Amino acid sequence: MSSSSTPPSSASSSAPRGDESAPLSLCAREPQVPAERLVAEMVPPPRFDQVRFSTYIPDPNQPSQAEAVTVLEGFATGLGGASATGAGKRRWFARKPAATPAGPRGVYLDGGYGVGKTHLLASLWHATPAAPEHKAFGTFVELTNLVGALGFQETVRTLSGHRLLCIDEFELDDPGDTVLVSSLLAKLVEAGVALAATSNTLPGKLGEGRFAAADFLREIQGLSAHFRPLRIDGEDYRHRGLPAAPEPYSEEQVTRAAYATPGASLDGFGQLLDHLSRVHPSRYGALTDDLRAVCLTGVRPVPDQSTALRLVVLADRLYDREVPVLTSGVPFDRLFSEEMLNGGYRKKYFRAISRLTALARDGKGLVGPGAA
């Protein structure tokens, strides 16, 4: 993997002179990620390293939150039976694990935005008494990317030795991917793997901003008997009056910040979008390895849906890794067209805007005081 490069030509005229070393470049990186790493990295992202059931603070006005913690703690305890066979080994003659006290071999966390579903899902992963290599955590997109990288049968073989598979943001806006993952989960259930999931809203189901449990169970085709829905009521804990995202900075400010920040990358936005089209989304995490910040010049609306969806994946990986972002050009709320924001993938685009906005707030500190 290349670790550094001359910054993009669009920013070179603003490059500082002197002792500052050139920043890194995402466009110079072409990571080759072995299959073992893809599976080994299926753990809760860094921002959820330390979450536990004990750090989830239920809203006293929402009894379903405390109830969900109790049920999930019991579910995790029920997964502490005889150890699973080694990851990747076939289990044709292995005794299937007994059902947990909750009954089904899966739980589905059903709730609106910001009620702590991912916190609880990661807490379940941490609480399950199994070695890290025998439990997996990833988003729906990461799971489909894994199948794309390994193939269906190899993914089944690799995950069949796991005790638990947690799937965050189960997406149902692509029928083909829904069928693919439903088929994968059916194979894993046969192998004795326990499941836990949260999900996103289907297109058109705007209401509470959630995807109702009954609809989720219908969409996963034949797996509904394996899931116990846990409703988690409450308001979005992120609605705390946070300041608006800072306006984009000038190209010179972004470039100077990239040069002044060890471990920062500096790329032209257009060049980065072109580069993402040549890198498989399963490698976007590796693309951001060891980055302290991402600096982009010339941010503009994305030209088409394929490009937009790749950007969504990169935004997720940067958010998971808490990498600050500093940009020049248009603000993040103008990245996606009105047609995109009203279409079938609207949830993904709004999530990307929200996450990039949060990272932009984090990136504000990279620019010297008084430089707004």
Side-chain angles (χ1 to χ4, degrees):
M1 179 191 309
S2 175
S3 61
S4 65
S5 171
T6 301
S9 58
S10 62
S12 59
S13 62
S14 305
R17 300 293 183 260
D19 297 332
E20 293 170 322
S21 59
L24 309 175
S25 171
L26 289 172
C27 294
R29 296 181 164 203
E30 298 181 2
Q32 300 299 317
V33 184
E36 310 85 71
R37 173 175 170 176
L38 290 176
V39 177
E41 289 186 339
M42 293 191 70
V43 298
R47 66 173 57 243
F48 293 101
D49 276 347
Q50 304 303 317
V51 303
R52 299 293 187 272
F53 289 129
S54 61
T55 64
Y56 181 84
I57 310 300
D59 184 341
N61 297 317
Q62 303 290 348
S64 63
Q65 294 186 7
E67 181 183 0
V69 172
T70 299
V71 173
L72 289 171
E73 286 178 327
F75 187 78
T77 300
L79 298 178
S83 62
T85 58
K89 295 182 180 179
R90 293 189 179 275
R91 304 178 67 190
W92 302 120
F93 304 107
R95 181 186 300 273
K96 294 184 179 180
T100 67
R105 292 290 300 166
V107 289
Y108 165 64
L109 308 186
D110 175 34
Y113 300 131
V115 295
K117 298 190 300 297
T118 301
H119 183 135
L120 291 172
L121 193 67
S123 299
L124 173 63
W125 188 93
H126 287 298
T128 296
E133 62 268 23
H134 288 157
K135 50 188 179 180
F137 183 107
T139 65
F140 181 87
V141 170
E142 288 175 307
L143 189 59
T144 57
N145 287 340
L146 182 68
V147 176
L150 302 186
F152 183 83
Q153 294 300 333
E154 181 64 16
T155 302
V156 171
R157 189 189 71 82
T158 300
L159 295 179
S160 286
H162 282 55
R163 182 73 54 80
L164 171 71
L165 172 62
C166 296
I167 308 170
D168 199 20
E169 299 172 350
F170 200 115
E171 297 181 354
L172 299 129
D173 46 21
D174 187 317
D177 282 347
T178 302
V179 171
L180 172 70
V181 174
S182 293
S183 300
L184 172 64
L185 297 186
K187 293 289 187 182
L188 296 180
V189 166
E190 289 177 5
V193 181
L195 307 173
T198 71
S199 77
N200 278 335
T201 309
L202 270 178
K205 289 186 174 292
L206 307 182
E208 299 176 72
R210 71 182 186 87
F211 182 69
D215 296 327
F216 171 80
L217 297 174
R218 181 182 64 247
E219 291 292 329
I220 57 176
Q221 300 189 17
L223 286 172
S224 60
H226 297 289
F227 280 89
R228 172 179 177 175
L230 292 179
R231 179 64 194 269
I232 305 171
D233 299 298
E235 298 179 357
D236 189 340
Y237 74 92
R238 289 168 292 204
H239 290 170
R240 294 175 178 169
L242 291 172
E247 287 295 312
Y249 292 91
S250 71
E251 183 175 306
E252 181 178 3
Q253 288 173 313
V254 172
T255 302
R256 288 189 177 279
Y259 272 82
T261 305
S265 66
L266 175 62
D267 294 277
F269 187 67
Q271 292 96 317
L272 177 60
L273 295 184
D274 290 341
H275 186 61
L276 293 180
S277 69
R278 297 187 290 271
V279 178
H280 192 277
S282 65
R283 302 174 183 173
Y284 286 7
L287 196 67
T288 66
D289 278 351
D290 304 319
L291 284 185
R292 295 280 302 280
V294 167
C295 298
L296 298 172
T297 59
V299 173
R300 54 179 169 75
V302 295
D304 57 75
Q305 191 142 265
S306 295
T307 302
L309 292 173
R310 286 191 290 268
L311 183 61
V312 168
V313 177
L314 179 64
D316 286 343
R317 300 293 80 76
L318 292 173
Y319 184 79
D320 288 345
R321 290 158 175 76
E322 301 179 297
V323 180
V325 174
L326 192 71
T327 65
S328 70
V330 304
F332 285 133
D333 60 5
R334 289 169 52 192
L335 278 176
F336 308 110
S337 69
E338 286 299 317
E339 182 180 3
M340 291 178 184
L341 294 178
N342 290 319
Y345 296 113
R346 67 184 307 278
K347 279 288 299 296
K348 294 183 180 181
Y349 299 143
F350 279 113
R351 184 178 80 229
I353 292 170
S354 174
R355 291 183 166 186
L356 289 171
T357 295
L359 297 178
R361 293 191 191 104
D362 296 340
K364 191 174 181 179
L366 302 175
V367 179

